[in-house]
Amino acid sequence: MNRDHDGGKTIDGHHSFSFNLNGDEHQGEAEPRLLLSDYLRHHAGLTGTHVGCEHGVCGACTVLVDGEAVRSCLMLAVQADGHEVTTVEGLTPEEVPAATPAEGNGTAGNGAAGAGGVPPLHPLQDAFWEAHGLQCGFCTPGILMTLVPFLEENPDPSEEEIRYALSGNLCRCTGYQHIVDAVLLAAQRQREAGE
Amino acid sequence: MKPAAFEYHRPESVGEALHLLADIGDEGKILAGGQSLIPVMNFRLAQPAVLIDVNRLTELDHVSEEADGTLRLGAMVRQARLEREAAVARRSPLLAEAIPHVAHPQIRNRGTVGGSLAHADPAAELPAVMVALDARFRLARAGGERWVAAGDFYRGLFTTALEADEMLVEVEIPPRPGDAGACFLETSRRHGDYAMAGVAVRTTVDGDGRLGQSRLVFLSVGDVPVEVAAGQVTAGEPPSEELFASVARAAAAELDTVADIHASAEYRRHLAEVLARRALAKAAQRAAGESA
């Protein structure tokens, strides 16, 4: 078949595409049937995006596309073409800052100061760490990626709003209470930092 | 890889998409938000030979109000956007009330108005709401188009009036009368799950406090959105709990509910009756508030 605008198709049925991945321009090539979740894990090597149910129920594969939380198992990799994708790896800088032993034991827990060669965590990750918002951690990347845009839109969320925001993410360990606590803590710190 | 192999096309205009559809016919499937299609492809319950990805069709991305109060929604408007659009809250409170029940926030960020309507899942909220609102759908094909009323669009389980070479491109919601009130309610096991039963209700209350005819359209109780005749008897009646209860009873009696793993037929009918009574009472209350 000879049709125009077939999404950058190459001879062997693969499609080439390019998108912004965690701040960097990324060139990719894949069969159109490859899911974005599988592309991120197996081709881009970003295994922080977890794959659970693969039909849009569990939320473990949630990433940001143009700043909005979406299921990466319900998108084709070729559909990322021209868009901005942020995975959990994109929440924190890649470079580990030099250890600064005097820091790192304040209210911000492990992360914010980046003490002892540990990469600094995103404030939300830091709150999860401190409030025990995870146990096995499988659901955590998807939950973080759901909540980052949520907290931007809702800087002072109620517990009910947090639970509603979490309705698309399954966690089988925590019973959710410590996740809610972590979000409340992160929101409180975010507000205090903004004051 | 989860889905079976397919040929992928990403048209840049509606005209190009329609030519592709005309060319491909039954073998092709339109990929809108993908929140229903990709799951069934991941399970290989669907194995379309050709996908036409319409996500680049920005000309179908409009939400507009006309001077007379008509609301127009492009087929590719994301469901999440309906939650934020002031025009939707103003012109169609019923739609605004139903949207938060559509799956989860992450799904609504991607899922589209046209995709949900054309997919025709009987448990979906938007089809029932559009039937209750007397919406019309614009179906385009290469070299032509037609309008189909939402009530005529749904033909059976996942089956609509769309021909293989047609695409749903726009939804038109007529103006809301000033004395109208509406309510959407559903019950699901967990928030965001498909409803075991749900109902969209519209009614009116005139200056003398009397109801007009009421519209009751149910979801998840049959193969298509199910409108019952029971609401007609409210015309000329003053609102009362007894009236709402008897309408709800009659409405539930009209339904031919079926059992599945989520609910028995009897439980569905029970839910339908309770939801209808509550939604009708709330719609009448809202209508009275607006006409006062």
Side-chain angles (χ1 to χ4, degrees):
Chain A
M1 275 185 269
N2 181 24
R3 301 188 187 101
D4 293 334
H5 296 301
D6 51 4
K9 194 175 174 187
T10 56
I11 288 162
D12 59 355
H14 281 54
H15 289 241
S16 58
F17 49 93
S18 62
F19 60 102
N20 186 298
L21 180 55
N22 295 332
D24 294 323
E25 277 311 310
H26 181 89
Q27 296 285 333
E29 200 184 285
E31 270 190 81
R33 62 175 166 154
L34 186 69
L35 302 174
L36 178 60
S37 48
D38 288 335
Y39 182 84
L40 291 170
R41 289 180 59 81
H42 303 299
H43 295 249
L46 297 176
T47 53
T49 299
H50 291 172
V51 167
C53 71
E54 299 182 86
H55 63 285
V57 172
C58 76
C61 69
T62 303
V63 299
L64 305 187
V65 174
D66 298 336
E68 293 196 321
V70 302
R71 315 280 206 213
S72 61
C73 76
L74 298 188
M75 255 184 87
L76 306 172
V78 292
Q79 291 188 293
D81 190 32
H83 294 279
E84 248 176 54
V85 176
T86 310
T87 68
V88 70
E89 289 88 347
L91 291 183
T92 50
E94 250 176 55
E95 299 297 319
V96 178
T100 47
E103 293 181 77
N105 46 12
T107 54
N110 144 37
V118 178
L121 297 177
H122 184 278
L124 182 61
Q125 291 172 309
D126 208 61
F128 267 66
W129 179 80
E130 187 165 329
H132 207 84
L134 65 153
Q135 288 181 34
C136 86
F138 190 85
C139 69
T140 312
I143 288 184
L144 293 169
M145 301 318 282
T146 297
L147 291 171
V148 164
F150 169 77
L151 281 176
E152 281 168 16
E153 263 187 57
N154 305 276
D156 190 9
S158 66
E159 178 165 343
E160 192 188 343
E161 287 168 334
I162 293 168
R163 288 183 182 276
Y164 179 73
L166 282 168
S167 64
N169 294 81
L170 295 180
C171 172
R172 299 286 82 149
C173 300
T174 63
Y176 301 97
Q177 186 55 51
H178 289 182
I179 297 177
V180 173
D181 293 345
V183 183
L184 287 168
L185 179 63
Q188 183 197 336
R189 285 185 180 156
Q190 183 177 283
R191 289 196 306 278
E192 286 167 1
E195 276 167 9
Chain B
M1 268 175 269
K2 263 59 82 177
F6 53 83
E7 191 182 298
Y8 175 76
H9 296 277
R10 195 173 61 206
E12 301 283 342
S13 71
V14 172
E16 193 190 330
L18 296 176
H19 277 109
L20 278 166
L21 266 180
D23 196 5
I24 296 160
D26 280 338
E27 295 290 291
K29 192 87 186 147
I30 294 174
L31 174 61
Q35 304 300 287
S36 298
L37 178 58
I38 297 198
V40 294
M41 289 173 62
N42 286 353
F43 283 126
R44 299 209 178 186
L45 295 171
Q47 301 190 11
V50 184
L51 275 195
I52 301 170
D53 180 351
V54 292
N55 282 276
R56 293 291 168 101
L57 306 187
T58 50
E59 55 194 299
L60 301 182
D61 204 14
H62 57 281
V63 174
S64 57
E65 311 174 69
E66 289 177 8
D68 68 351
T70 300
L71 185 66
R72 291 181 181 281
L73 308 173
M76 286 305 291
V77 171
R78 309 279 170 189
Q79 292 150 4
R81 192 171 147 204
L82 299 181
E83 290 173 82
R84 302 176 194 136
E85 282 281 349
V88 173
R90 187 163 51 234
R91 297 299 184 190
S92 192
L94 180 65
L95 177 57
E97 187 168 46
I99 283 290
H101 293 282
V102 179
H104 307 291
Q106 298 101 320
I107 300 282
R108 295 196 295 275
N109 280 339
R110 191 89 190 136
T112 64
V113 172
S116 173
L117 294 176
H119 181 56
D121 190 317
E125 291 80 5
L126 292 182
V129 167
M130 293 303 171
V131 172
L133 290 171
D134 289 322
R136 297 197 306 158
F137 304 153
R138 184 154 64 92
L139 313 185
R141 57 149 52 91
E145 64 172 47
R146 61 182 174 131
W147 287 91
V148 174
D152 297 329
F153 183 73
Y154 294 99
R155 299 286 168 84
L157 195 63
F158 299 106
T159 307
T160 70
L162 279 165
E163 300 289 340
D165 62 346
E166 283 180 318
M167 176 165 64
L168 194 166
V169 292
E170 190 183 48
V171 177
E172 180 191 85
I173 299 172
R176 186 166 57 103
D179 56 357
C183 182
F184 182 90
L185 290 177
E186 70 171 43
T187 299
S188 55
R189 291 276 181 211
R190 291 156 300 203
H191 190 99
D193 282 8
Y194 279 119
M196 293 180 287
V199 68
V201 174
R202 287 172 70 205
T203 193
T204 57
V205 173
D206 67 16
D208 299 326
R210 293 188 182 277
L211 294 159
Q213 286 194 3
S214 303
R215 305 278 304 276
L216 287 83
V217 183
F218 292 88
L219 53 133
S220 222
V221 299
D223 289 349
V224 294
V226 177
E227 173 150 23
V228 294
Q232 292 169 7
V233 304
T234 59
E237 299 288 332
S240 72
E241 286 303 323
E242 295 72 34
L243 176 67
F244 300 147
S246 83
V247 168
R249 223 170 13 249
E254 284 184 55
L255 301 176
D256 188 16
T257 52
V258 292
D260 63 15
I261 57 165
H262 304 293
S264 67
E266 295 75 18
Y267 183 52
R268 275 215 157 81
R269 190 190 306 277
H270 167 76
L271 283 177
E273 180 178 337
V274 173
L275 294 172
R277 176 165 50 77
R278 291 178 186 167
L280 184 55
K282 179 61 84 177
Q285 189 189 349
R286 289 172 174 170
E290 285 190 23
S291 64

